[in-house]
Protein backbone atom coordinates (compact mmCIF):
# COMPACT_ATOMS: atom_id res chain seq x y z
CA UNK A 1 0.00 0.00 0.00
CA UNK A 2 1.27 3.45 -0.93
CA UNK A 3 0.14 7.00 -0.19
CA UNK A 4 -1.00 8.76 -3.37
CA UNK A 5 -2.29 12.08 -1.96
CA UNK A 6 -2.50 14.27 1.14
CA UNK A 7 -5.00 17.12 1.21
CA UNK A 8 -6.34 19.30 4.02
CA UNK A 9 -9.15 21.76 4.59
CA UNK A 10 -9.43 24.49 7.20
CA UNK A 11 -12.74 25.17 8.92
CA UNK A 12 -13.51 28.18 11.09
CA UNK A 13 -16.19 27.46 13.67
CA UNK A 14 -17.16 30.33 15.95
CA UNK A 15 -18.85 29.43 19.25
CA UNK A 16 -22.34 30.91 19.68
CA UNK A 17 -20.84 33.41 22.12
CA UNK A 18 -17.08 33.97 22.55
CA UNK A 19 -15.65 31.75 25.30
CA UNK A 20 -13.41 33.17 28.00
CA UNK A 21 -11.03 31.57 30.46
CA UNK A 22 -8.52 33.29 32.76
CA UNK A 23 -6.10 34.16 29.95
CA UNK A 24 -7.85 33.88 26.56
CA UNK A 25 -10.95 34.88 24.68
CA UNK A 26 -11.96 32.31 22.07
CA UNK A 27 -14.05 33.84 19.27
CA UNK A 28 -13.15 31.31 16.61
CA UNK A 29 -12.15 27.64 16.64
CA UNK A 30 -10.10 26.32 13.75
CA UNK A 31 -10.21 22.69 12.60
CA UNK A 32 -7.74 21.38 10.04
CA UNK A 33 -9.03 18.12 8.54
CA UNK A 34 -6.40 16.10 6.68
CA UNK A 35 -7.18 13.23 4.32
CA UNK A 36 -4.41 10.79 3.39
CA UNK A 37 -5.38 8.77 0.30
CA UNK A 38 -3.83 5.40 -0.57
CA UNK A 39 -3.66 3.30 -3.72
CA UNK A 40 -5.58 0.57 -1.83
CA UNK A 41 -8.72 2.67 -1.78
CA UNK A 42 -8.38 3.45 1.93
CA UNK A 43 -8.54 7.10 2.94
CA UNK A 44 -7.37 8.05 6.45
CA UNK A 45 -8.77 11.12 8.21
CA UNK A 46 -6.78 13.11 10.74
CA UNK A 47 -7.26 16.48 12.34
CA UNK A 48 -5.69 19.35 14.21
CA UNK A 49 -7.41 22.23 15.95
CA UNK A 50 -6.59 25.63 17.34
CA UNK A 51 -8.44 28.10 19.52
CA UNK A 52 -8.12 30.75 16.85
CA UNK A 53 -4.52 31.13 15.72
CA UNK A 54 -2.25 29.26 13.31
CA UNK A 55 -4.73 27.19 11.31
CA UNK A 56 -3.63 28.34 7.84
CA UNK A 57 0.03 27.82 8.79
CA UNK A 58 -0.70 24.25 9.92
CA UNK A 59 -2.54 23.53 6.68
CA UNK A 60 0.39 24.90 4.66
CA UNK A 61 2.91 22.77 6.59
CA UNK A 62 0.88 19.65 5.82
CA UNK A 63 -0.09 20.26 2.20
CA UNK A 64 2.87 22.33 0.93
CA UNK A 65 5.72 20.58 2.76
CA UNK A 66 4.78 17.19 4.26
CA UNK A 67 2.66 16.03 1.31
CA UNK A 68 5.64 15.54 -1.00
CA UNK A 69 7.50 13.64 1.75
CA UNK A 70 4.55 11.25 2.18
CA UNK A 71 3.44 10.46 -1.37
CA UNK A 72 4.85 7.08 -2.43
CA UNK A 73 5.43 5.91 1.18
CA UNK A 74 3.77 2.92 2.91
CA UNK A 75 1.29 4.48 5.40
CA UNK A 76 1.54 1.46 7.73
CA UNK A 77 5.12 2.38 8.66
CA UNK A 78 3.81 5.00 11.05
CA UNK A 79 6.82 5.11 13.36
CA UNK A 80 9.27 5.55 10.49
CA UNK A 81 7.16 8.27 8.85
CA UNK A 82 6.65 10.07 12.17
CA UNK A 83 10.37 10.15 12.90
CA UNK A 84 11.23 11.34 9.40
CA UNK A 85 8.61 14.10 9.39
CA UNK A 86 9.55 15.22 12.90
CA UNK A 87 13.18 15.47 11.84
CA UNK A 88 12.24 17.62 8.86
CA UNK A 89 9.76 19.83 10.75
CA UNK A 90 12.30 20.28 13.53
CA UNK A 91 14.30 22.49 11.16
CA UNK A 92 11.72 25.23 11.78
CA UNK A 93 11.05 24.60 15.48
CA UNK A 94 10.31 21.93 18.05
CA UNK A 95 6.63 21.98 19.00
CA UNK A 96 3.60 24.18 18.30
CA UNK A 97 2.31 24.37 14.72
CA UNK A 98 4.93 21.77 13.67
CA UNK A 99 3.59 19.09 16.02
CA UNK A 100 -0.01 20.10 15.29
CA UNK A 101 0.66 19.47 11.57
CA UNK A 102 2.42 16.20 12.39
CA UNK A 103 -0.48 15.21 14.66
CA UNK A 104 -3.07 15.57 11.90
CA UNK A 105 -0.96 13.33 9.64
CA UNK A 106 -0.23 10.76 12.37
CA UNK A 107 -3.94 10.46 13.28
CA UNK A 108 -4.75 9.90 9.59
CA UNK A 109 -2.07 7.17 9.38
CA UNK A 110 -3.53 5.39 12.42
CA UNK A 111 -6.96 5.67 10.81
CA UNK A 112 -5.57 3.97 7.69
CA UNK A 113 -3.98 1.23 9.81
CA UNK A 114 -7.22 0.53 11.69
CA UNK A 115 -9.14 0.36 8.40
CA UNK A 116 -6.47 -1.84 6.82
CA UNK A 117 -6.49 -4.32 9.72
CA UNK A 118 -10.27 -3.89 9.98
CA UNK A 119 -10.39 -3.30 13.75
CA UNK A 120 -11.38 -0.29 15.89
CA UNK A 121 -8.35 1.83 16.78
CA UNK A 122 -8.61 1.08 20.53
CA UNK A 123 -8.32 -2.62 19.67
CA UNK A 124 -5.27 -1.98 17.50
CA UNK A 125 -3.64 -0.03 20.35
CA UNK A 126 -4.05 -2.89 22.83
CA UNK A 127 -7.36 -2.09 24.59
CA UNK A 128 -6.39 -2.11 28.24
CA UNK A 129 -9.91 -1.02 29.31
CA UNK A 130 -13.46 -1.42 28.05
CA UNK A 131 -14.53 2.02 29.27
CA UNK A 132 -13.01 5.17 30.77
CA UNK A 133 -14.32 7.70 33.29
CA UNK A 134 -15.22 11.12 31.87
CA UNK A 135 -15.79 14.64 33.13
CA UNK A 136 -17.83 17.47 31.68
CA UNK A 137 -16.13 20.83 31.15
CA UNK A 138 -16.54 24.10 29.29
CA UNK A 139 -14.67 27.35 28.76
CA UNK A 140 -16.94 29.08 31.22
CA UNK A 141 -15.17 31.73 33.29
CA UNK A 142 -17.32 34.47 31.74
CA UNK A 143 -20.61 32.79 32.72
CA UNK A 144 -22.55 34.16 35.68
CA UNK A 145 -23.54 31.78 38.47
CA UNK A 146 -26.92 30.77 37.01
CA UNK A 147 -25.47 30.07 33.56
CA UNK A 148 -22.57 28.11 35.08
CA UNK A 149 -24.89 25.93 37.15
CA UNK A 150 -27.05 25.42 34.10
CA UNK A 151 -24.01 24.20 32.15
CA UNK A 152 -22.97 21.86 34.98
CA UNK A 153 -26.52 20.51 35.14
CA UNK A 154 -26.15 19.60 31.48
CA UNK A 155 -22.91 17.69 32.20
CA UNK A 156 -24.62 15.68 34.94
CA UNK A 157 -27.62 14.99 32.71
CA UNK A 158 -25.22 13.67 30.07
CA UNK A 159 -23.94 11.13 32.59
CA UNK A 160 -20.59 12.60 33.64
CA UNK A 161 -19.51 11.60 37.14
CA UNK A 162 -17.12 14.56 37.44
CA UNK A 163 -17.03 18.20 36.37
CA UNK A 164 -14.33 20.76 35.63
CA UNK A 165 -14.83 24.53 35.82
CA UNK A 166 -12.63 27.52 35.08
CA UNK A 167 -11.31 29.72 37.86
CA UNK A 168 -8.93 32.69 37.85
CA UNK A 169 -11.23 35.67 38.18
CA UNK A 170 -9.56 38.92 39.29
CA UNK A 171 -11.53 38.71 42.54
CA UNK A 172 -10.59 35.55 44.47
CA UNK A 173 -13.93 35.58 46.30
CA UNK A 174 -15.75 35.11 43.00
CA UNK A 175 -13.73 31.95 42.35
CA UNK A 176 -14.69 30.62 45.77
CA UNK A 177 -18.38 31.45 45.20
CA UNK A 178 -18.33 29.51 41.93
CA UNK A 179 -16.69 26.50 43.56
CA UNK A 180 -19.13 26.50 46.51
CA UNK A 181 -22.14 26.73 44.17
CA UNK A 182 -20.96 23.92 41.88
CA UNK A 183 -19.96 21.66 44.80
CA UNK A 184 -23.44 22.09 46.23
CA UNK A 185 -25.02 21.18 42.90
CA UNK A 186 -22.93 18.08 42.16
CA UNK A 187 -23.04 16.70 45.71
CA UNK A 188 -20.40 14.87 47.74
CA UNK A 189 -19.87 11.82 45.53
CA UNK A 190 -18.93 13.55 42.26
CA UNK A 191 -15.48 15.07 41.73
CA UNK A 192 -14.78 18.72 40.92
CA UNK A 193 -11.65 19.84 39.06
CA UNK A 194 -10.65 23.49 38.57
CA UNK A 195 -8.62 25.07 35.77
CA UNK A 196 -6.77 28.42 36.04
CA UNK A 197 -5.31 28.45 32.49
CA UNK A 198 -1.84 29.66 33.55
CA UNK A 199 -3.21 32.72 35.30
CA UNK A 200 -0.93 33.14 38.32
CA UNK A 201 2.69 33.31 39.39
CA UNK A 202 3.83 31.14 42.32
CA UNK A 203 3.27 33.77 45.02
CA UNK A 204 -0.26 34.68 43.81
CA UNK A 205 -1.09 31.02 43.37
CA UNK A 206 -0.07 30.03 46.89
CA UNK A 207 -2.38 32.69 48.32
CA UNK A 208 -5.23 31.50 46.09
CA UNK A 209 -4.74 27.81 46.75
CA UNK A 210 -4.65 28.15 50.54
CA UNK A 211 -8.35 28.92 50.36
CA UNK A 212 -9.13 25.97 48.10
CA UNK A 213 -7.77 23.33 50.46
CA UNK A 214 -11.14 22.90 52.19
CA UNK A 215 -13.02 21.87 49.05
CA UNK A 216 -11.61 18.39 48.33
CA UNK A 217 -10.94 19.26 44.69
CA UNK A 218 -9.76 16.58 42.27
CA UNK A 219 -6.98 18.77 40.82
CA UNK A 220 -5.87 22.29 40.03
CA UNK A 221 -5.07 22.58 36.33
CA UNK A 222 -2.45 24.92 34.80
CA UNK A 223 -2.08 27.12 37.89
CA UNK A 224 1.12 28.75 36.50
CA UNK A 225 2.65 29.52 33.13
CA UNK A 226 3.31 26.22 31.36
CA UNK A 227 7.01 26.98 30.99
CA UNK A 228 7.50 27.46 34.75
CA UNK A 229 8.51 23.90 35.66
CA UNK A 230 10.35 25.00 38.79
CA UNK A 231 7.28 26.94 39.94
CA UNK A 232 5.06 23.88 39.57
CA UNK A 233 7.56 21.81 41.56
CA UNK A 234 7.59 24.44 44.32
CA UNK A 235 3.79 24.46 44.33
CA UNK A 236 3.62 20.68 44.69
CA UNK A 237 5.64 20.96 47.86
CA UNK A 238 3.28 23.60 49.19
CA UNK A 239 -0.24 22.27 48.51
CA UNK A 240 -1.80 18.83 48.88
CA UNK A 241 -3.99 19.46 45.82
CA UNK A 242 -2.93 17.39 42.76
CA UNK A 243 -1.49 19.53 39.95
CA UNK A 244 -2.59 18.84 36.37
CA UNK A 245 -0.47 20.11 33.47
CA UNK A 246 0.03 19.21 29.83
CA UNK A 247 -2.33 20.88 27.38
CA UNK A 248 0.27 23.57 26.65
CA UNK A 249 3.20 21.17 26.25
CA UNK A 250 4.09 19.98 22.77
CA UNK A 251 6.85 17.39 22.96
CA UNK A 252 7.69 14.29 24.99
CA UNK A 253 10.85 16.11 26.07
CA UNK A 254 8.81 18.83 27.77
CA UNK A 255 6.80 16.16 29.59
CA UNK A 256 10.02 14.40 30.61
CA UNK A 257 11.33 17.66 32.08
CA UNK A 258 8.13 18.04 34.16
CA UNK A 259 8.25 14.45 35.38
CA UNK A 260 11.94 14.54 36.27
CA UNK A 261 11.35 17.78 38.19
CA UNK A 262 8.48 16.23 40.20
CA UNK A 263 6.32 19.10 38.96
CA UNK A 264 3.11 17.34 37.86
CA UNK A 265 0.60 14.80 39.27
CA UNK A 266 -1.89 14.45 36.39
CA UNK A 267 -0.48 14.45 32.84
CA UNK A 268 -2.81 16.03 30.29
CA UNK A 269 -1.15 15.44 26.94
CA UNK A 270 -3.24 16.64 23.99
CA UNK A 271 -3.17 14.15 21.11
CA UNK A 272 -3.24 16.90 18.47
CA UNK A 273 -0.68 19.21 20.04
CA UNK A 274 1.96 16.57 20.82
CA UNK A 275 2.07 15.19 17.29
CA UNK A 276 -0.65 12.57 17.25
CA UNK A 277 -1.40 9.15 18.68
CA UNK A 278 2.16 7.82 18.27
CA UNK A 279 3.65 10.54 20.46
CA UNK A 280 0.74 10.50 22.93
CA UNK A 281 1.41 6.82 23.60
CA UNK A 282 5.09 7.53 24.28
CA UNK A 283 4.10 10.24 26.76
CA UNK A 284 1.63 7.84 28.40
CA UNK A 285 4.38 5.23 28.81
CA UNK A 286 6.76 7.86 30.13
CA UNK A 287 4.13 8.99 32.66
CA UNK A 288 3.47 5.39 33.71
CA UNK A 289 7.15 4.94 34.50
CA UNK A 290 6.79 7.87 36.94
CA UNK A 291 3.51 6.44 38.33
CA UNK A 292 1.52 9.45 37.13
CA UNK A 293 -2.06 9.40 35.86
CA UNK A 294 -3.01 10.49 32.33
CA UNK A 295 -6.09 12.66 31.77
CA UNK A 296 -6.13 13.45 28.05
CA UNK A 297 -6.79 17.07 27.17
CA UNK A 298 -8.42 16.17 23.86
MG1 LIG B 1 -7.25 23.42 30.68
Amino acid sequence: MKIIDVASRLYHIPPTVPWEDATHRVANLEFIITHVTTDAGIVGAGFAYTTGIGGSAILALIDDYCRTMLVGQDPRQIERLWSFLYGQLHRSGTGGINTLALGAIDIALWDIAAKWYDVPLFRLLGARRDSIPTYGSGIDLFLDSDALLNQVDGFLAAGHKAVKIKIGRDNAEEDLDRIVAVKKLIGPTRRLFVDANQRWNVADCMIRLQKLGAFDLGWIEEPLHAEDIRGHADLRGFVALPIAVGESLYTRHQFADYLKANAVDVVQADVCRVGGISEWLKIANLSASFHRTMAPHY
Side-chain angles (χ1 to χ4, degrees):
M1 182 163 51
K2 295 227 177 328
I3 295 169
I4 56 172
D5 197 19
V6 178
S8 307
R9 292 191 68 172
L10 171 60
Y11 298 87
H12 296 272
I13 303 180
T16 320
V17 291
W19 297 335
E20 287 177 45
D21 61 31
T23 50
H24 291 105
R25 183 173 186 274
V26 180
N28 190 18
L29 290 163
E30 296 181 308
F31 286 90
I32 302 92
I33 311 296
T34 295
H35 286 108
V36 176
T37 304
T38 69
D39 62 0
I42 295 174
V43 179
F47 74 103
Y49 76 97
T50 82
T51 51
I53 188 162
S56 56
I58 294 164
L59 184 141
L61 280 171
I62 297 168
D63 287 7
D64 296 348
Y65 296 92
C66 295
R67 180 184 174 281
T68 54
M69 302 179 212
L70 288 165
V71 168
Q73 303 294 322
D74 184 338
R76 293 164 296 188
Q77 293 188 304
I78 300 172
E79 194 67 31
R80 188 173 69 78
L81 293 176
W82 195 100
S83 297
F84 178 73
L85 290 174
Y86 183 77
Q88 295 300 311
L89 290 164
H90 198 270
R91 294 154 67 190
S92 63
T94 50
I97 57 173
N98 284 334
T99 47
L100 281 155
L102 183 50
I105 294 165
D106 181 81
I107 292 169
L109 296 179
W110 278 103
D111 190 32
I112 290 169
K115 287 170 176 168
W116 173 260
Y117 295 112
D118 197 24
V119 289
L121 180 60
F122 84 98
R123 194 65 72 195
L124 193 58
L125 296 177
R128 175 167 168 181
R129 298 181 175 86
D130 294 320
S131 66
I132 55 169
T134 62
Y135 63 85
S137 78
I139 300 178
D140 53 23
L141 192 61
F142 65 102
L143 297 181
D144 65 24
S145 183
D146 284 349
L148 176 66
L149 293 178
N150 204 25
Q151 185 184 64
V152 171
D153 243 344
F155 298 146
L156 302 184
H160 296 290
K161 300 285 194 292
V163 168
K164 185 173 86 183
I165 63 167
K166 300 293 188 186
I167 59 170
R169 290 238 174 133
D170 292 340
N171 181 342
E173 293 303 319
E174 292 177 12
D175 280 350
L176 293 177
D177 290 346
R178 291 162 64 81
I179 290 168
V180 168
V182 172
K183 282 288 279 187
K184 189 172 167 209
L185 176 64
I186 67 176
T189 59
R190 297 189 185 94
R191 302 236 75 181
L192 175 62
F193 311 114
V194 294
D195 184 356
N197 290 96
Q198 311 179 64
R199 176 68 202 272
W200 304 305
N201 61 33
V202 176
D204 291 341
C205 190
M206 286 180 178
I207 293 167
R208 293 277 188 143
L209 294 193
Q210 273 177 327
K211 296 184 176 174
L212 300 188
F215 293 102
D216 187 30
L217 299 171
W219 72 57
I220 171 76
E221 178 171 324
E222 288 200 314
L224 311 173
H225 195 277
E227 283 160 3
D228 187 2
I229 298 175
R230 171 73 184 269
H232 285 87
D234 289 346
L235 213 52
R236 274 193 85 234
F238 178 77
V239 291
L241 196 52
I243 292 175
V245 176
E247 71 179 79
S248 303
L249 305 180
Y250 290 83
T251 69
R252 85 183 76 136
H253 312 292
Q254 290 176 315
F255 284 94
D257 287 343
Y258 258 94
L259 291 161
K260 285 187 287 187
N262 238 344
V264 57
D265 295 288
V266 181
V267 178
Q268 298 181 294
D270 180 310
V271 68
C272 293
R273 291 178 175 173
V274 301
I277 293 159
S278 301
E279 189 72 350
W280 195 96
L281 292 170
K282 290 189 175 74
I283 294 164
N285 286 327
L286 179 66
S287 301
S289 71
F290 281 83
H291 304 277
R292 299 294 198 272
T293 304
M294 295 292 281
H297 178 246
Y298 206 96

